Amino acid sequence: MWTWRRLTTSCLYSCNMKKKDSSVFTEYFKELEEESIQDNFVVVYELLDELMDFGFPQTTDSKILQEYITQEGAKLEVAKSKVPTTVTNAVSWRSEGIKYKKNEVFIDVIESINVLVNANGSVMSSDIVGSIKLKTMLSGMPELRLGLNDRVLFALTGRDKGKTVVMEDVKFHQCVRLSRFESDRTISFIPPDGESELMSYRINTHVKPLIWIESVIEKFSHSRVEIMVKAKGQFKKQSVANNVEVRVPVPSDADSPKFKTSTGHAKYVPEKNLVVWTIKSFPGGKEFLMRAHFGLPSVENDELEGKPPITVKFEIPYFTVSGIQVRYMKIIEKSGYQALPWVRYITQSGDYQLRTNV
């Protein structure tokens, strides 16, 4: 018999180790905290019973679980006396009888860039973390076949690498037929309904920073701080970075800010000791400049402050750093209906840091 503390500790530990594991619980009660687990212990017991069978994963899709485990307040109700077919089906992640007036599937290829640049301008570490996400609105029980461009090589196929892009830590949704993928690299699957992550991957490679930052920070003791930041787009001229934010750290005792920018606008965020320079649209190949002036108190702060890095946030549509592309998406369903696939590419900043000398 599980005690309160064992149940709570087990749930919180499992979900902290793998954040995705918490999605089932948060579908039932918004926040996964010790109090919410205790208030909904009946639901937690039922979910754990369905999620695992003799320690092995069983039904893990929250949409399927909600078909026969429902909740009203903190109570559990059995909505159907008959167990849904999805539980005993080979395709446990998709219900039967789904119908749409317009059949469509949206594919998002999203890549996040992690970069760490030292104060001398050398890239210390970099990698790409990517995912392919789907929003499926298809009737019936369709089979989808997704083909990626020849530049992409999956590390687990063991093929000759050559000049291809090597993907590591590749993870697929349970719907993907791995045997088919291993034989011809075709991603074949019956998709879950609605939104899902088809696959995720990591590319451990040298990445040229897409937005390069040069900074000069001069601190005059008991007087002022002068900051000059130059941002340069190091990506294709036909591409545009949207909603760019350059976050520059300033001393905690700085005051009286004054700014001058060649584009966008800058603001002081005193609670975070930051200057945030926002550029709504940043074309590739362009350079922009921001200058900031801060006053300093006549009495210097005795506390030693660290040297936090400059961080950058951005999003570049219609572009992937790795060069991955969807070659085709085939949709096969026994009724023979026509369906429209839509593909979108997005590159965005991940952990993007540039260290400073000051």
Side-chain angles (χ1 to χ4, degrees), residues 69-248:
I69 297 180
T70 62
Q71 176 193 20
E72 184 179 337
K75 297 180 180 179
L76 175 70
E77 291 183 359
V78 179
K80 299 180 180 180
S81 58
K82 183 180 178 182
V83 176
T85 55
T86 50
V87 177
T88 54
N89 259 358
V91 187
S92 62
W93 54 87
R94 185 180 178 90
S95 301
E96 294 182 353
I98 297 173
K99 291 183 181 180
Y100 286 97
K101 290 182 178 180
K102 187 176 182 180
N103 292 285
E104 295 177 305
V105 56
F106 298 87
I107 309 164
D108 281 348
V109 181
I110 302 172
E111 290 188 342
S112 298
I113 303 176
N114 300 321
V115 175
L116 176 60
V117 180
N118 67 15
N120 298 322
S122 301
V123 177
M124 298 179 64
S125 65
S126 63
D127 65 3
I128 302 168
V129 177
S131 65
I132 298 179
K133 297 184 177 181
L134 301 178
K135 184 177 181 181
T136 308
M137 296 187 291
L138 298 172
S139 304
M141 198 69 70
E143 178 174 335
L144 276 59
R145 293 175 188 170
L146 177 70
L148 301 176
N149 55 323
D150 294 333
R151 243 190 116 195
V152 175
L153 174 80
F154 300 89
L156 53 88
T157 59
R159 301 193 179 191
D160 181 32
K161 296 180 181 179
K163 294 183 180 180
T164 55
V165 176
V166 180
M167 288 185 172
E168 301 174 358
D169 300 336
V170 179
K171 297 178 183 177
F172 289 108
H173 189 278
Q174 61 176 323
C175 65
V176 175
R177 295 187 178 92
L178 294 180
S179 57
R180 176 72 184 272
F181 164 73
E182 289 172 354
S183 63
D184 60 7
R185 288 187 293 170
T186 299
I187 302 173
S188 177
F189 58 100
I190 295 174
D193 186 45
E195 297 182 1
S196 62
E197 183 177 81
L198 181 66
M199 66 174 286
S200 62
Y201 58 89
R202 183 177 61 86
I203 301 174
N204 190 13
T205 184
H206 177 78
V207 179
K208 182 180 180 181
L210 296 180
I211 295 181
W212 183 254
I213 301 294
E214 293 179 12
S215 65
V216 177
I217 303 174
E218 294 181 294
K219 187 175 181 180
F220 301 91
S221 184
H222 312 298
S223 175
R224 67 188 189 279
V225 174
E226 300 282 352
I227 300 172
M228 188 278 290
V229 176
K230 182 169 70 174
K232 181 180 179 180
Q234 298 191 134
F235 48 93
K236 295 178 181 179
K237 291 183 179 180
Q238 58 266 36
S239 297
V240 176
N242 297 326
N243 303 316
V244 178
E245 281 189 6
V246 182
R247 302 188 172 199
V248 185

Side-chain angles (χ1 to χ4, degrees), residues 39-55:
D39 289 343
N40 298 276
F41 73 96
V42 177
V43 179
V44 173
Y45 275 123
E46 289 289 336
L47 288 172
L48 290 174
D49 190 46
E50 295 297 335
L51 287 166
M52 295 181 292
D53 189 18
F54 292 99

Side-chain angles (χ1 to χ4, degrees), residues 210-211 233-244 279-286 288 313-320 345-348:
L210 296 180
I211 295 181
Q234 298 191 134
F235 48 93
K236 295 178 181 179
K237 291 183 179 180
Q238 58 266 36
S239 297
V240 176
N242 297 326
N243 303 316
V244 178
I279 304 171
K280 191 173 182 180
S281 181
F282 196 135
K286 294 289 186 180
F288 300 112
K313 290 179 65 179
F314 60 85
E315 184 176 283
I316 307 175
Y318 318 114
F319 172 77
T320 56
Y345 301 95
I346 299 173
T347 292
Q348 61 190 16

Side-chain angles (χ1 to χ4, degrees), residues 270-309:
E271 62 271 18
K272 295 183 179 180
N273 300 320
L274 288 175
V275 172
V276 180
W277 179 21
T278 304
I279 304 171
K280 191 173 182 180
S281 181
F282 196 135
K286 294 289 186 180
E287 288 186 5
F288 300 112
L289 196 68
M290 186 273 289
R291 294 182 184 274
H293 172 101
F294 285 88
L296 289 177
S298 57
V299 178
E300 192 168 342
N301 190 350
D302 292 333
E303 293 182 8
L304 292 175
E305 295 188 1
K307 297 180 180 179

